[in-house]
Amino acid sequence: MHCDKWFVLGAGSMGCLWAASLGHKGIIPRLILRASSERQHVALKLRSDDQAQYFGVDVVCARTINGSIDRLVVCTKAQDTLAALHSIEPYLNDNCHILLLQNGMGSQQTVAQRYANHVVWAASSTDGAYLPAPFEVCHAGQGETWIGPLTGVSTNGFDELLHNFRLTVRYHPAIEEKLWEKLAINCCINGLTALFNCRNGELLDGGVKQSRLDRLVVETCSVLHAAGMPALPLHDRVYGVCQTTASNISSTCRDARQGRATELPFINGFLIDKARSLDVAVPHHHTLMTQLRSRGIR
Ligand code: KPL
């Protein structure tokens, strides 16, 4: 049955994964696309473990939303989030809970400030998904998603996600710590994979790539420490992610291959800004960003 109150903004891999997973639970959301589509209804295909399931969802765009939004899962790229939210702002209920699933940091805090009269949540996810075709999502790696409020909250608007949901979702009262953890991992892996145009596992080459990875890890740890974040065994975590996602193309490398704007300004860009404000030197991050820019990767 369609559930009037739930909407998913963005039909990329995460948007389709979340829409299909909500559908699997019987909460069939409406999927908000950037542009109007000739179709008003799509059969969303979810592939995982050699199985395929279909979920019928209504698709709308900002102009054709008919109703008001109580629960919104935002799956746009970090750089598109504010504009996408702005386009649907008139439909947000006063008590709307907004869950942000962007990579990196910065965009979530901007949204939380701009939408201070709503309840803004952030999520940090390690689920792996890609979109082999429009509205067809492959859930390649079962991860976990931590969610928590960025602004004060008295009720958990996303309680339903914590149980009997095909994605593993957990509540974290200090979600910024989780965002920092993922940011730190992405700061070491994503830009380098885009620079070398390689899979995550290829960074552990025992040579040039790996030594650059190691230097990024050391610098990232210094920023985490200066920012007062809990100590993290970042070296082990980064190596672990490179091993478990060895055959993955990182989201940044994928964007770079397709000539799209990447989320790097919200990943290494955020870290570099933070380092500057904390007076921490991060020369290897600067070099990485300069080299990426010189290749037209932004
Ligand atoms: O989060 C990722 C990404 O691609 O953005 C990693 C952890 C690097 C997995 O590919």
Side-chain angles (χ1 to χ4, degrees), residues 103 182 186 189-190 200 241 245 248-251:
N103 261 335
K182 173 116 198 284
N186 288 140
I189 299 177
N190 288 39
N200 295 350
V241 170
T245 66
N248 278 24
I249 312 280
S250 78
S251 55

